[in-house]
Amino acid sequence: MMLVTETADKIKRMEIRGAGRIARAAAQALRDHAVATGTRDLEAFRSEMRRAADALVATRPTAVSLPNAVHIVIAGLDGADSAEVARESVVRRAEEFIESSLHAVEEIAQIGARHISDGDTILTHCNSEAALACIVTAHKAGKDIGVFATEVRPRNQGLVTIRTLNDAGIKTNFIVDSAVRSFMNDIDLVIVGADAVTVNGAVINKIGTSQVAQAAHEARVNVVVAAETYKFAPRTIIGEMIEIEERPAQEVLPDDIARTLPHVTVRNPGFDVTPAGYIDMIITEAGAIPPQMAYVIIREYLGWGIEEFHKTFEINTRHME
Ligand code: RUB
């Protein structure tokens, strides 16, 4: 479990962060763990891999890319008839997932870049490799663009974003989160990433995204979400909600100050929900879709319909009829 524990710790500490990177790191950890687990006993191998899968999924609750990736990688365990076959399946599926994830980001970048016009000013929030890939690809295509990037309190992911934009040679304005509305009239397009997309087309992303989207909506600025299909949440089909991670108070207010304020409670949700009505389109590797088509991605692309849940979890359908 050492490799898995190491990766799980890095995800927990946010040394590995961002929904796509977390998913690929989990797939890689499962692959390495499968190779390192030498047992020839099928049952022992299965339970070892399931333990590893659970440890990875338990690290952070919101990014659906994580359980989706883990599910994809270990999906062949049940059907395998020997430890060797099961091991091969985990290795193959993990490698395929990582490759397809990288490919998806490239695909999204191409589609997203076409939505960016010469002369556009784009606003992005947090640090999303999918959103940044669209912006950098448009810039590389010779479009003259500028970017506003937010700071992203309390973890300052905006610093990572401006480093990437700067290194690509893109003119960038760095603003505090609360300045978004002040600059919205200068913005042509908002592009953000996603940690999860629900069946009704709502997007869960870094805290503050919904305020950005609301300000954009008011100013008639289009909001585009760049999200690989493995960020769509199958379990929202059966009514499950996405858990919003509540992070430690110390990220917002140091303990020595908090101790002097006994009546003050810090609230520190890591993510928020942007309703479909504020989103113009979601760009996936399967093409750009209106958010209202999220169900189609979950069903046709990820292969999860209500029937799959019946089979997998033996849901009692009588209540639904
Ligand atoms: C990261 C975040 C990103 C999405 C999409 O939050 O909200 O916008 O994960 O990123 P955190 P990507 O820093 O808390 O992990 O496009 O890279 O998957």
Side-chain angles (χ1 to χ4, degrees):
M1 284 286 278
M2 213 184 73
L3 290 166
V4 169
T5 314
E6 214 174 278
T7 302
D9 283 347
K10 282 186 182 165
I11 296 173
K12 249 188 235 157
R13 288 200 309 271
M14 289 177 67
E15 214 171 291
I16 300 171
R17 48 146 300 281
R21 289 190 177 92
I22 289 173
R24 290 195 296 274
Q28 182 69 43
L30 288 172
R31 182 208 169 277
D32 295 347
H33 190 54
V35 172
T37 305
T39 178
R40 288 160 162 247
D41 182 277
L42 177 59
E43 266 325 303
F45 182 77
R46 274 187 187 137
S47 64
E48 188 53 35
M49 290 313 297
R50 290 201 179 108
R51 224 156 55 89
D54 290 347
L56 288 162
V57 170
T59 51
R60 291 189 76 189
T62 303
V64 168
S65 53
L66 175 58
N68 276 351
V70 166
H71 175 82
I72 290 167
V73 172
I74 64 168
L77 284 183
D78 279 340
D81 54 9
S82 72
E84 204 37 53
V85 170
R87 184 174 297 109
E88 273 167 23
S89 156
V90 170
V91 169
R92 180 176 48 78
R93 282 168 168 274
E95 288 170 356
E96 279 173 8
F97 175 79
I98 292 167
E99 206 189 306
S100 70
S101 162
L102 294 169
H103 184 69
V105 174
E106 280 169 24
E107 199 70 45
I108 288 168
Q110 296 300 328
I111 301 172
R114 285 186 204 111
H115 282 282
I116 298 173
S117 304
D118 195 38
D120 271 359
T121 301
I122 298 146
L123 185 141
T124 191
H125 180 60
C126 196
N127 177 255
S128 155
E129 67 168 350
L132 283 177
C134 300
I135 296 169
V136 171
T137 302
H139 170 75
K140 282 189 180 153
K143 292 178 186 174
D144 178 24
I145 54 173
V147 176
F148 277 71
T150 49
E151 184 183 25
V152 195
R153 277 273 289 155
R155 294 295 298 248
N156 303 317
Q157 284 93 335
L159 292 175
V160 186
T161 294
I162 58 171
R163 172 75 48 206
T164 302
L165 293 166
N166 179 74
D167 290 353
I170 298 172
K171 288 170 290 177
T172 301
N173 299 283
F174 188 45
I175 58 171
V176 297
D177 302 325
S178 41
V180 163
R181 190 159 183 256
S182 295
F183 289 109
M184 195 48 89
N185 289 332
D186 302 333
I187 304 297
D188 298 294
L189 186 66
V190 171
I191 306 183
V192 292
D195 284 86
V197 182
T198 62
V199 68
N200 63 350
V203 167
I204 290 86
N205 192 49
K206 179 56 53 196
I207 191 78
T209 303
S210 68
Q211 274 178 200
V212 171
Q214 190 186 21
H217 187 74
E218 185 203 36
R220 306 285 185 272
V221 173
N222 282 349
V223 174
V224 164
V225 175
E228 304 90 293
T229 51
Y230 54 79
K231 292 175 181 165
F232 287 64
R235 298 179 71 95
T236 56
I237 287 186
I238 53 165
E240 258 187 32
M241 307 290 245
I242 303 289
E243 184 184 338
I244 304 286
E245 177 180 19
E246 180 106 21
R247 300 199 47 86
Q250 293 79 359
E251 288 184 348
V252 178
L253 196 65
D255 272 341
D256 53 342
I257 300 178
R259 264 194 296 274
T260 66
L261 304 165
H263 302 296
V264 173
T265 304
V266 173
R267 298 297 309 272
N268 186 18
F271 302 92
D272 65 18
V273 183
T274 301
Y278 288 172
I279 299 161
D280 292 284
M281 67 171 74
I282 303 178
I283 299 179
T284 77
E285 73 275 23
I289 58 156
Q292 291 76 9
M293 269 177 67
Y295 176 71
V296 176
I297 295 288
I298 294 173
R299 191 182 173 96
E300 306 299 332
Y301 221 79
L302 298 181
W304 285 94
I306 191 82
E307 309 82 10
E308 275 66 35
F309 283 103
H310 291 157
K311 273 184 256 152
T312 314
F313 304 111
E314 290 169 4
I315 293 173
N316 185 344
T317 44
R318 273 176 311 163
H319 301 298
M320 297 183 181
E321 280 163 6

